[in-house]
Amino acid sequence: KRLIESIKKFGTITPALARPLPEGGYELISGHRRLAACQVLGIETMPVIIREMSDDEAVIAMVDSNLQRETILPSEKAFAYKMKLDAIKHQGKASVQVAEKLLSVEKVADDAGESKDQVRRYIRLTYLIPELLSMVDENKIAFNPAVEISYLERSEQQVLLDAMEQNDCTPSHAQSIRLKKLS
């Protein structure tokens, strides 16, 4: 709603980003929410920058654009970091060495203004079952316990979820570390 009101009042200030497709036409890389807001308002044109990009470059540009949003859920940040890391690794050789992997995490961290460890923690959230990940987004499970829980097998996460629902509680950080060790 805020984006629609902003575009209604000021127009589309920031251009979208697209790349030409080999078969003709364009693929929108960033600006999907701006496009949707323009469509709601009946605006038929908006500024777009057209740039030649590989698939990996497009993923990195899309992730960087999404990470600049004012509010972003932990799950969105987790999958964005994972996608960017995978794209950076993919740009290298087919057999990526350990040193290159570390540099990739450093690149994602530097670009995001986060530590390498924090980026790794966010990426760990992608290993949570969807129900637990939703609870992180809804602030029902704290970030650090969720990271520890992500190391549990999916079946163990399901058992934990059932126990949490049955007892109307969530594990503390210390409890989640113990669960990880027991797993």
Side-chain angles (χ1 to χ4, degrees), residues 43-61:
I43 299 172
E44 294 184 10
T45 61
M46 63 183 247
V48 178
I49 296 171
I50 309 296
R51 190 175 292 150
E52 291 284 342
M53 288 186 234
S54 69
D55 289 346
D56 292 327
E57 291 169 332
V59 166
I60 291 168

Side-chain angles (χ1 to χ4, degrees), residues 145-166:
V147 171
E148 300 300 328
I149 292 167
S150 74
Y151 288 94
L152 301 178
E153 298 291 329
R154 293 181 72 77
S155 60
E156 294 169 329
Q157 291 182 35
Q158 187 60 55
V159 169
L160 175 61
L161 176 65
D162 294 343
M164 288 167 42
E165 289 173 349
Q166 185 177 19

Side-chain angles (χ1 to χ4, degrees), residues 77 86 110 116 143:
K77 196 180 262 194
D86 290 346
D110 286 346
K116 303 180 297 198
F143 181 82

Side-chain angles (χ1 to χ4, degrees), residues 44-160:
E44 294 184 10
T45 61
M46 63 183 247
V48 178
I49 296 171
I50 309 296
R51 190 175 292 150
E52 291 284 342
M53 288 186 234
S54 69
D55 289 346
D56 292 327
E57 291 169 332
V59 166
I60 291 168
M62 182 264 309
V63 167
D64 286 345
S65 173
N66 284 340
L67 289 173
Q68 291 177 17
R69 288 196 339 240
E70 195 173 308
T71 56
I72 182 167
L73 295 173
S75 63
E76 293 173 321
K77 196 180 262 194
F79 283 104
Y81 287 164
K82 186 174 183 346
M83 286 175 66
K84 184 169 183 176
L85 183 61
D86 290 346
I88 290 171
K89 287 179 184 177
H90 189 257
Q91 284 181 327
K93 301 172 193 165
S95 59
V96 179
Q97 296 181 1
V98 174
E100 291 171 332
K101 286 183 182 179
L102 293 175
L103 291 175
S104 299
V105 172
E106 287 177 3
K107 168 90 174 107
V108 173
D110 286 346
D111 290 351
E114 304 248 22
S115 72
K116 303 180 297 198
D117 291 336
Q118 189 68 355
V119 167
R120 286 189 185 105
R121 285 184 201 102
Y122 270 106
I123 291 172
R124 277 307 311 176
L125 295 181
T126 65
Y127 293 88
L128 289 171
I129 60 174
E131 298 87 349
L132 292 175
L133 187 55
S134 292
M135 292 178 78
V136 176
D137 285 343
E138 297 163 3
N139 291 318
K140 293 179 180 175
I141 298 177
F143 181 82
N144 287 328
V147 171
E148 300 300 328
I149 292 167
S150 74
Y151 288 94
L152 301 178
E153 298 291 329
R154 293 181 72 77
S155 60
E156 294 169 329
Q157 291 182 35
Q158 187 60 55
V159 169
L160 175 61

